[in-house]
Amino acid sequence: MKNFSINHRKVQSVDILELNGELDAHTAPQLEDHLKKLIDENQYHIVVNCDDLDYIASAGLGVFMAYIEDIRSLGGDIKLTNMNDKVYNVFDLLGFPALYDILEKEEEAVKQFQQGSNS
Amino acid sequence: MSTPNYTHRITVQASTEHLSEVRDFVASYATKHGVSSHEVEDIRLAVDEAYTNIIKHAYQYDDSRFVEIVMGSEKDEFWVSLKDNGKSFNPTEYPDPDVEERIKKKERGGVGVYLMKKLMDRIEYHKHDGTNEIRMIKKL
């Protein structure tokens, strides 16, 4: 049964992970593998586009919790974008909006990374 | 005068492979019994978290074990119970997490029980004859 997939693409120097489907304890390892791979390749400007993410459980949030410090200490960030209300509500229940950069649109996140690296 | 409440039950192997099936099963039952779509989503996630905790903590990923899920609705509430025969874990005694602190320590997890408490109106834990039961109630 395949109810989750990740599409990885690049917009200039920014890595975009598009999440599709349902992120839970069964599918979270796929996201973890992608993040680990980006860190191994020294790619720390990461945008996670949640446009097609239908569902998230705490195991999915746990992946973001485990890697954000490493990525920020290396000068990067994970920016989350395009969440539907249902998914945003789960992040909100745990107070993530104060701890993570959650933006409406992928383009804004890319722009922020570009402005940051030019300054 | 009391009439028996209609309940529904399934027994599922304790594996994350069955998570989406369990979620959909509970959500479709709740929907059929008139629970609003917003509340169905809360119940779906709370059941996911409870079932995931059993897989991880009660059975420590032993997928030869089983979880029994029983649910029912009464006029103003919906309830769902998850039963296992593994290691005891009482979620009602689990402290609320400090998410910021956990992130600093690069710790994941520990937030599922908190979500269950936030999403449902009441969480009960019962232990009888080696069976752990987590009962979650949502007022409608």
Side-chain angles (χ1 to χ4, degrees):
Chain A
M1 187 168 41
K2 188 141 177 74
N3 62 351
F4 181 72
S5 64
I6 299 175
N7 178 37
H8 178 204
R9 59 187 164 81
K10 268 202 120 94
V11 175
Q12 287 149 26
S13 63
V14 180
D15 287 86
I16 316 283
L17 298 179
E18 283 176 352
L19 309 188
N20 196 301
E22 301 184 333
L23 185 56
D24 61 16
H26 193 61
T27 56
Q30 289 182 53
L31 174 61
E32 179 155 13
D33 289 347
H34 271 83
L35 286 178
K36 271 196 218 156
K37 194 165 167 270
L38 290 175
I39 295 169
D40 288 346
E41 292 167 353
N42 303 321
Q43 303 299 316
Y44 312 126
H45 289 177
I46 303 165
V47 174
V48 176
N49 184 325
C50 302
D51 202 21
D52 291 317
L53 183 67
D54 302 318
Y55 175 84
I56 189 163
S58 72
L61 297 160
V63 178
F64 297 118
M65 290 171 70
Y67 290 96
I68 191 78
E69 275 293 303
D70 283 341
I71 289 172
R72 284 184 180 158
S73 69
L74 292 161
D77 199 5
I78 303 173
K79 295 182 191 287
L80 301 151
T81 73
N82 301 72
M83 277 180 203
N84 70 35
D85 290 348
K86 206 172 82 181
V87 167
Y88 180 81
N89 184 44
V90 183
F91 279 91
D92 195 31
L93 281 173
L94 291 169
F96 270 54
L99 306 168
Y100 287 79
D101 205 2
I102 301 179
L103 301 159
E104 290 260 335
K105 299 272 174 224
E106 178 191 310
E107 295 73 30
E108 292 170 51
V110 170
K111 206 168 146 191
Q112 284 188 8
F113 276 130
Q114 286 169 339
Q115 285 167 348
S117 48
N118 291 340
S119 62
Chain B
M1 189 186 74
S2 71
T3 49
N5 294 305
Y6 180 67
T7 59
H8 207 61
R9 103 183 36 227
I10 45 159
T11 301
V12 209
Q13 215 180 339
S15 162
T16 57
E17 223 174 288
H18 299 296
L19 263 169
S20 66
E21 182 189 327
V22 164
R23 286 196 299 265
D24 290 348
F25 180 80
V26 173
S28 102
Y29 174 87
T31 303
K32 264 186 224 155
H33 286 79
V35 179
S36 75
S37 64
H38 179 75
E39 287 167 331
V40 167
E41 290 314 311
D42 290 351
I43 293 165
R44 184 196 288 270
L45 181 53
V47 168
D48 177 318
E49 300 294 343
Y51 177 65
T52 300
N53 273 344
I54 292 172
I55 293 167
K56 276 195 207 166
H57 304 296
Y59 291 146
Q60 299 174 328
Y61 297 101
D62 176 357
D63 64 8
S64 68
R65 312 289 294 272
F66 288 89
V67 182
E68 187 187 8
I69 301 170
V70 193
M71 55 198 156
S73 58
E74 281 150 42
K75 63 174 192 321
D76 56 356
E77 64 179 37
F78 178 91
W79 58 267
V80 51
S81 274
L82 290 93
K83 298 179 186 180
D84 68 78
N85 301 301
K87 219 173 114 192
S88 300
F89 174 72
N90 182 349
T92 63
E93 287 173 356
Y94 194 78
D96 289 348
D98 180 337
V99 176
E100 192 170 4
E101 194 58 35
R102 283 183 174 266
I103 287 171
K104 276 190 195 135
K105 291 184 183 161
K106 299 174 198 172
E107 288 174 343
R108 75 184 65 200
V111 297
V113 169
Y114 180 70
L115 277 181
M116 284 156 58
K117 289 183 194 161
K118 286 268 199 183
L119 295 163
M120 302 298 280
D121 288 297
R122 204 163 78 240
I123 310 277
E124 295 171 1
Y125 170 77
H126 305 284
K127 188 171 170 75
H128 28 78
D129 300 332
T131 300
N132 303 298
E133 176 186 0
I134 291 162
R135 190 179 167 99
M136 302 188 286
I137 295 120
K138 181 98 179 156
K139 290 205 176 81
L140 304 175

